[in-house]
Amino acid sequence: MYRLTAILKQCMPFLITLFLWRLSVYFWNPAGILCLIPVFYYTFVRPIKGFAVFGIIFCFLIDYRCDLALFWTSLYCLIYAITGFQKYIDFQNTNDNAMYIFMAFIGIGFFLLTIYGFSWTNLVNNLWLFVWMSVLYTPITAIDNWAKA
């Protein structure tokens, strides 16, 4: 039983990401964009070995579903390169599981997408997704704290 529990704890980040990407609904999770939450969390806040490549793949899949030319993938890679300077930027020792840093990450992305194709519908949709992802960040990362216990 202990071995099964250990395996499930190791697989949990990958399964959560895959589940959120597959659970794609137009209004609530367009193109599986909610999988950016575990991708961000398990790459920057609580890094897991090998998860960065998994994150790149899922950012690419989101870009593919949204018909974006590597937008989220390049933004993710840019943040990953910036966090290489760990003596200046330390996501792992922040309060609230780096929620504000995540909000800045998706906020910059949605702001650039709104400017790129400005329309009122696009603005409202991006605001809704920003609020929705910010609200869901805490419960999704709480699953990790529950699984560690």
Side-chain angles (χ1 to χ4, degrees), residues 34-71:
L34 287 180
C35 79
L36 283 177
I37 296 171
V39 164
F40 179 86
Y41 182 73
Y42 291 115
T43 301
F44 303 120
V45 180
R46 191 177 154 250
I48 294 176
K49 189 175 186 179
F51 201 82
V53 175
F54 196 70
I56 290 172
I57 291 169
F58 274 90
C59 286
F60 176 76
L61 290 173
I62 290 170
D63 288 335
Y64 178 73
R65 278 189 173 176
C66 292
D67 290 331
L68 297 171
L70 299 176
F71 177 77

Side-chain angles (χ1 to χ4, degrees), residues 5-17 36-52 54-55 76 80 83 86 90-99 101-102 137 140-149:
T5 306
I7 291 171
L8 283 176
K9 284 182 181 181
Q10 288 179 345
C11 293
M12 183 69 79
F14 300 97
L15 294 175
I16 289 172
T17 306
L36 283 177
I37 296 171
V39 164
F40 179 86
Y41 182 73
Y42 291 115
T43 301
F44 303 120
V45 180
R46 191 177 154 250
I48 294 176
K49 189 175 186 179
F51 201 82
F54 196 70
Y76 173 78
Y80 190 78
T83 58
Q86 279 296 320
D90 190 13
F91 290 167
Q92 296 174 5
N93 295 322
T94 58
N95 296 335
D96 299 325
N97 292 328
M99 181 178 171
I101 299 170
F102 174 73
Y137 184 80
I140 290 173
T141 57
I143 291 172
D144 176 61
N145 294 331
W146 172 76
K148 282 194 294 187

